Amino acid sequence: MITWLGSCLQYKWQNTLGNYIAVAGSDSSVKIFDRHGQRKNELNLPGRCVGMDWDKDGDILAVISDKSSSVYLWDANVNKTSQIDSGMRDQMSFILWSKAGPLLAVGTNKGNLLIYNQQTPRKIPVLGKHTKRITCGCWSSQNLLALGSEDCSVTISNQEGDTVRQTSVRSDPADVQFSVMKTDERSSPGESTVSVAVGKKTLFLFNLNDPDNPIELAFQQRYGHIISYRWYGDGYILIGFSQGYFVVISTHIREIGQELFQAHNHKDSLTSVAISSALNKAASCGDNSIKIHDLSELKEMDAIVNLEDETQGLDQLSWTDDGQLLAVSTQRGALHVFLTRLPILGHSCGTRLAYLTSLLEVTVSNRVEGEAPVAVAVEVEPNFIAVGPYHVAVGMNNRAWFYALGDSGVERLKDMEYLGTIATMCLNSEYAAALFEGKVQLHMMEGEGQQEQRQTRLFPDGDRKEHIVSHALTNDFLFYGTDSGVIVCILVEDWQMLNEYRHPVGIKKVNDSHVEIPSFSPTITGVLWETWPSDKGVFVSFDDDKVYTYAMHKNTIYGPRVVFVGSTKLPFSHKPLLLYNGELTCQTQSGKTSSVALSTHTFLTHTHSPGAHTYTPEELGKQLTQALMLKRFPEAWELCKVLGGPAGWAEMGRSCLIHMEVELAVRVFRMSGNVGMVMSLQGIKGIEDRSLLAGHLAMFLNDYNLAQDLYLESSCPNTALEMRRDLQHWDSALMLAKRLAEDQIPFISKEYAVQLEFIGDYVNALSHYEKGMTHNNKVSLSVSIWPEGITLCFYLS
């Protein structure tokens, strides 16, 4: 809070960046503060400040005084002040930069106008633009200048100062604005409507394309007079009234005169309204409170801020362009600045989180381990955060600051400069790995002098021309992926490359395995692994709208594979930081964390909190499927007991076979009463050959082709032939016999021939009988009578 006791304040946020705020009080000065409240500079004026404005890029602040004909300019880039002589001999009253170019308009008490071009620098004096004091004005995006004067007229001029339109109004104009009014006809491009508050009672809409038909809107007397108004969205206007009313109207020609929304936001008075297009929110202030609405749902109150100490009331509201900061001045001369939106910056290491909670504060917490949150005051407003087991790092551009997290508190270690702007950083217990401009620098966080220099390495090294786009760091290994599709694993201890894997496309994120991920969205912005110790195979990917849950199963009859479990809607502006036992911890714009329960883990609600909700059999069945896909067999067992009946046990038994959980499968099939399956499983329990065991399980699941492949990989490949013979898959059996046991071909051919004869395929039966003849066979002759005649068939005995 900044205070000038005794009068209301003028203030202006820097355009675009919002890094500075210029404030003028009752004294003859303008003070410039940065966004953290530190005074940057002070402009001493010969008299009271009567107007100030920032140029469109926020580079130059222009200020005018009531006792000088000069315009004072402060350059934010070099922190220097200069003056230009306006050449005006009467007192200046109005100043405004163009929002489309380097043009500055200055108005005077006698109605004269100066247009100054900062680039050329050219001055265009326009005498007699108005006959009385110029009080308000606005530039359009097409560099038209609308001015309101105490002579009860509004002029529209081009950038040369020539008047292109003029209209009279009934009373003093105020708060001139350009916008686009909604009409039924296709309107010309650009801001063609000028709006003016006339006598604080009516809203005057002047269409430059239809100057003969202006529209004047009057409002209910109980609202009081118009305090301020703002255009937003597709032709809507938000108006604040002195009696505390907050009203929204539309300028669509069929809706003019109708109120779309009205609220009595403040009991006694309203003093200002403001809109943040970046946040899509509107704010009003009055009495001693600020009320914030979401523009997409005005009926819902988004937030209320009470300033109990401001008994004299509030004055003016203003947001920065990015919506991060909201300033409110008070009637007694104080300025309060509120943080309304934080950059969503956060990082996790195991179950430890580090996230931005204020512009200059990072909070480190570990709720899972029960550790109390620790606030770390940092030197700069960071654009990245990294956390490790014992350290946290923050930074911006090419510089990073490192802090040690010890039992005795937080200790600042050092800061480092890198050879480029840091994109991301990872920490382990000893090292930091910073990614910048396609390279990763790995270095120790603690240690000085020669040791520190010796423990620093840049990757890729040597003649490798790869461009690194992502990296990850464990206690022992550094992984990085490149835009050419290469994943490299480096052993941190001796800087040696352990292995390299080449993808045909570029890498976005890295880990230490390569398994195809199904249904992977192209909009994914991040991935988190499950940190619950008993469920390490689960991970989520996420974009701005949804979280997608996957389970990686390393030991199945199909080999390692990833299955897609389901998706969960992500609340607006939530950034996932940590996944623990199906609960996603997200960072929000308010600088806090919020928990989101994954819809793929609803079975936890039933198995961990019985009796909290009564589920239908369909819901329980869905929960069982989720638990089995995530390999959560204890929870699945409980769900099967609740469901009852054989269907649930059969589904769980099938899952146990897929995951090669033979002991559990025996228990499950015993519960379902499947005696045959129990006996079959008990017969294979002692098998140690993984492929042979998986082959048996695949056969029990009726996946015979997979079973055959697994048997052939095993130490007993003949089992594949035995399976095909038992199943009477004679063609497959003959093919296997040629590879594995040629001496079995006659016997298989004989069995095949018997089957073919039984179904009436006598020609092929005869062929296979012939193939089945050996020197030990005895041939007997029998006669078969066909409708077409008599045919002789050979039978082998």
Side-chain angles (χ1 to χ4, degrees), residues 187-222:
S187 59
S188 60
E191 296 173 325
S192 57
T193 298
V194 176
S195 57
V196 187
V198 177
K200 298 185 178 181
K201 293 184 178 180
T202 62
L203 195 62
F204 184 82
L205 304 177
F206 181 66
N207 190 336
L208 302 184
N209 300 318
D210 188 13
D212 297 328
N213 296 294
I215 298 172
E216 193 164 5
L217 303 175
F219 302 92
Q220 299 181 46
Q221 288 186 359
R222 66 189 179 96

Side-chain angles (χ1 to χ4, degrees), residues 772-792:
M773 292 178 63
T774 66
H775 64 279
N776 294 325
N777 292 137
K778 295 180 181 179
V779 180
S780 60
L781 184 66
S782 67
V783 178
S784 295
I785 301 176
W786 290 5
E788 293 84 355
I790 298 175
T791 301
L792 296 178

Side-chain angles (χ1 to χ4, degrees), residues 9 45 162 182 197 234 262 292 296 322 324 378 395 435 446 468 490 577 580 582 584 606 626 660 716 791:
L9 303 176
L45 308 174
D162 302 325
K182 294 174 67 175
D234 189 18
Q262 179 252 94
I292 299 174
S296 59
D322 61 8
Q324 283 193 8
V378 297
L435 171 62
E446 300 188 41
I468 299 175
I490 304 292
L577 290 180
Y580 186 83
L584 202 62
H606 175 81
Q626 290 175 345
M660 304 179 66
C716 300
T791 301

